[in-house]
Amino acid sequence: MEDARARLRELPSVDEVLSRPAVRALEHRVGRAAVKAAAQKAIAAARQRILSGAAERAGELVPDQDVLSRAQREAEPRLRRVVNATGVVLHTNLGRAPLHPEAVARVSEIASGYSNLELDLDTGRRGHRSAAVEPLLCELFGAEAAHVVNNCAGATLLALAALGKGAAAVVSRGELVEIGGGFRVPEILEQSGCRLVEVGTTNRTRLSDYAAALDAHSRAVLLRVHRSNFALVGFTQEVTVAELAALARERGALVLHDLGSGALHLPDGIAESTAARSLADGADLVMVSGDKLLGGPQAGILLGRREPLDLCRRHPLARALRVDRLLLAALEATLQLYRRGRAGELPVNAALGVQPDELSRRATRLALDLQQRGISCSVVESEGRVGGGSIPLARLPGYGVALEAGVDLIEELRRGEPPVVALLRDDRVVLDVRCVADVGELAAAASAAWSRAGGPAPVGARLKQGYSGGEAPDGTEV
């Protein structure tokens, strides 16, 4: 213990580290704040090593290289583009839907200067933020009116607060779901000022259950919630939106449908409820996401009849949940692609609709590229997912490339430039190619990560050393 205390006293101060020539030189490139934070972390790490019994010499406790590498990381952006090699198209942790290049260009154009965000250029009067996209949303979804907020949970909260505060919100027990981040439908209802009234059972809810709830409560809204991230199968029963709407009209109630996925166009073989169908069936308001199956930016879109939607637009929460010009620019560009019949170009639709034979060819190109870099690998079948709480039972047959490596390679892939998020299956790293636009970029990133992880020596190097096990690059299974 005495020895540890003595070594702790040998640790340099932050000012001493910052005065070193190599550290001072880096300060001019990345800034003093990043270098200072790096010095503090390097000293803290050295202190921890001493306390754990490490046997470093005093001069090596806080080496320049440690400070420099930490400073470089401190200066890097925290939010970075990553390569999605998981096969999950709408990966929530990876930002869900990538934007189409035309949407990206519109964001850049609008972000670079001023815009008519809340100005009607025809009249010169103040307008509302959804004006740029409302006509497109109404046309594409068949709605009377539309409004956009920051996400779908916000859209549902706004609708319930504006239309159901103090009233009963009647929900099937099988729809009281928990969404990402631990947020639950009952909690959203509580924040909106509604009183939750559960009807039916987990697996079976009948129209008579809703009717009984309306009999028992003078003011009520009927809330339908899409089970986005799980499915009920087997002995089940649920009421259709059309049946709910007919009951609501008889009793003077509203039907609100938290649908989530926002699908307008789906590749063959993938089925999902749509907002247009719900509106046609009589729902008063439907709430959907912009960054799920719609393929645009994160947004909560309210669609439906004008009277209830105007009440939502005028509610104080609408300002708290309002969107900025960048989101609206991306959403408008995305909707224009649908209007022009180019929905298949959206990255989400392209990834969902790509055929297995194309994925096989893509995986083969990746495997050959890796083999040419001296890495043994093989093409394997890989089943993808839609993700993002959309169509949980859908399975997307595809292909990937498997490398005989484990956790170390997975971690090094994430630390690379660009970072790669891959799969770990049966102690092998699998690079699913469904969402990979540039196979060459992925091959380069995987090769660099392989080297950093200390993977087996490249096949060519082993052969030069007289190693006779395994196969040469041109004999590796692809």
Side-chain angles (χ1 to χ4, degrees), residues 254-319:
L254 295 174
V255 175
L256 311 181
H257 192 181
D258 179 358
L259 183 54
S261 67
L264 266 175
H265 165 94
L266 287 172
D268 293 341
I270 298 180
E272 175 66 316
S273 301
T274 66
R277 180 72 267 166
S278 289
L279 292 170
D281 286 343
D284 296 285
L285 279 189
V286 182
M287 290 74 71
V288 299
S289 295
D291 59 346
K292 292 186 179 180
L293 292 175
L294 187 62
Q298 177 181 299
I301 303 170
L302 297 96
L303 305 156
R305 294 196 300 108
R306 185 168 302 281
E307 182 179 356
L309 217 151
D310 283 344
L311 292 174
C312 294
R313 210 191 311 267
R314 294 196 297 268
H315 192 275
L317 266 179
R319 181 172 180 83

Side-chain angles (χ1 to χ4, degrees), residues 79-153:
L79 188 62
R80 300 164 64 190
R81 181 183 72 87
V82 306
V83 175
N84 178 6
T86 68
V88 180
V89 178
L90 295 171
H91 200 305
T92 299
N93 295 349
L94 304 184
R96 291 186 180 163
L99 294 178
H100 188 278
E102 291 184 16
V104 174
R106 283 290 291 151
V107 170
S108 177
E109 177 185 353
I110 295 301
S112 63
Y114 298 101
S115 65
N116 61 323
L117 179 62
E118 292 186 4
L119 176 67
D120 187 326
L121 293 176
D122 291 330
T123 65
R125 297 176 179 174
R126 181 169 183 168
H128 65 82
R129 293 200 172 206
S130 295
V133 295
E134 184 175 19
L136 284 167
L137 290 168
C138 292
E139 175 186 322
L140 293 168
F141 285 98
E144 285 184 12
H147 184 63
V148 181
V149 295
N150 61 350
N151 66 16
C152 194

Side-chain angles (χ1 to χ4, degrees), residues 48-367:
Q48 188 60 43
R49 291 195 300 272
I50 291 172
L51 294 174
S52 65
E56 295 155 292
R57 293 192 298 273
E60 298 176 346
L61 288 175
V62 187
D64 284 359
Q65 187 54 47
D66 186 21
V67 179
L68 298 179
S69 61
R70 290 177 185 273
Q72 293 282 10
R73 292 197 297 272
E74 285 287 332
E76 291 176 352
R78 292 288 192 271
L79 188 62
R80 300 164 64 190
R81 181 183 72 87
V82 306
V83 175
N84 178 6
T86 68
V88 180
V89 178
L90 295 171
H91 200 305
T92 299
N93 295 349
L94 304 184
R96 291 186 180 163
L99 294 178
H100 188 278
E102 291 184 16
V104 174
R106 283 290 291 151
V107 170
S108 177
E109 177 185 353
I110 295 301
S112 63
Y114 298 101
S115 65
N116 61 323
L117 179 62
E118 292 186 4
L119 176 67
D120 187 326
L121 293 176
D122 291 330
T123 65
R125 297 176 179 174
R126 181 169 183 168
H128 65 82
R129 293 200 172 206
S130 295
V133 295
E134 184 175 19
L136 284 167
L137 290 168
C138 292
E139 175 186 322
L140 293 168
F141 285 98
E144 285 184 12
H147 184 63
V148 181
V149 295
N150 61 350
N151 66 16
C152 194
T156 300
L157 176 63
L158 175 60
L160 290 167
L163 305 173
K165 184 176 182 180
V170 184
V171 190
S172 167
R173 282 191 176 90
E175 297 174 2
L176 292 175
V177 300
E178 178 179 305
I179 59 178
F183 295 98
R184 297 176 174 181
V185 167
E187 295 169 354
I188 294 174
L189 287 169
E190 181 180 357
Q191 290 298 318
S192 72
C194 294
R195 291 179 289 112
L196 171 63
V197 175
E198 303 176 34
V199 296
T201 62
T202 302
N203 61 321
R204 291 175 72 84
T205 302
R206 302 179 177 85
L207 188 63
S208 58
D209 296 320
Y210 290 98
L214 292 178
D215 289 339
H217 299 86
S218 57
R219 289 188 60 230
V221 295
L222 304 182
L223 177 63
R224 185 73 179 271
V225 181
H226 183 52
R227 290 185 290 268
S228 59
N229 50 13
F230 77 103
L232 288 178
V233 295
F235 187 59
T236 63
Q237 181 178 349
E238 63 182 5
V239 181
T240 67
V241 173
E243 292 170 334
L244 274 184
L247 175 64
R249 283 193 296 271
E250 291 176 7
R251 306 297 185 88
L254 295 174
V255 175
L256 311 181
H257 192 181
D258 179 358
L259 183 54
S261 67
L264 266 175
H265 165 94
L266 287 172
D268 293 341
I270 298 180
E272 175 66 316
S273 301
T274 66
R277 180 72 267 166
S278 289
L279 292 170
D281 286 343
D284 296 285
L285 279 189
V286 182
M287 290 74 71
V288 299
S289 295
D291 59 346
K292 292 186 179 180
L293 292 175
L294 187 62
Q298 177 181 299
I301 303 170
L302 297 96
L303 305 156
R305 294 196 300 108
R306 185 168 302 281
E307 182 179 356
L309 217 151
D310 283 344
L311 292 174
C312 294
R313 210 191 311 267
R314 294 196 297 268
H315 192 275
L317 266 179
R319 181 172 180 83
L321 299 170
R322 72 180 184 178
V323 296
D324 75 341
R325 68 192 193 279
L326 307 186
L327 185 156
L328 289 170
L331 181 58
E332 182 183 21
T334 301
L335 296 172
Q336 287 286 5
L337 290 167
Y338 281 99
R339 194 184 195 202
R340 296 168 186 160
R342 297 169 55 195
E345 296 179 21
L346 290 164
V348 164
N349 290 331
L352 290 175
V354 62
Q355 295 302 305
D357 57 349
E358 167 56 27
L359 294 174
S360 176
R361 288 191 290 269
R362 194 180 299 178
T364 300
R365 290 198 301 274
L366 174 60

